[in-house]
Amino acid sequence: MVINIIFFWILVVFGIIVSLYNWIIVFDCVIKSKNSSCIPLLGGGAIVLAMNLPGIDMEEYESIPLLLDYGCIPLFVHTFFSFIYKMLKELFK
């Protein structure tokens, strides 16, 4: 049980660091116009994995990290709408 708690916190801290790094990359791209890419699914996935460890009962909250990390659901939604915008832009050229 103690090993699961230690592993839980290691995964949570790692996931938070990667999630913050993804948001820093997004703000750098918007503010400084730098081209960088996020690390998809790593930060939110690490936190979801931590929530599903044996002895940790947080399964009902496992979608929250996927929504808060830009490399997960927000990145895929942004990519989808960017693709649609590009297709419509070429269509009405």
Side-chain angles (χ1 to χ4, degrees), residues 27-40:
F27 288 128
D28 278 347
C29 289
V30 171
I31 294 171
K32 297 179 183 176
S33 298
K34 293 171 70 175
N35 288 334
S36 299
S37 61
C38 295
I39 304 170

Side-chain angles (χ1 to χ4, degrees), residues 43-69:
I47 298 173
V48 168
L49 181 65
M51 289 179 169
N52 286 315
L53 288 173
I56 311 287
D57 295 325
M58 299 181 74
E59 288 88 12
E60 55 270 355
Y61 303 112
E62 67 184 14
S63 62
I64 294 173
L66 298 176
L67 291 171
L68 294 179
D69 179 17

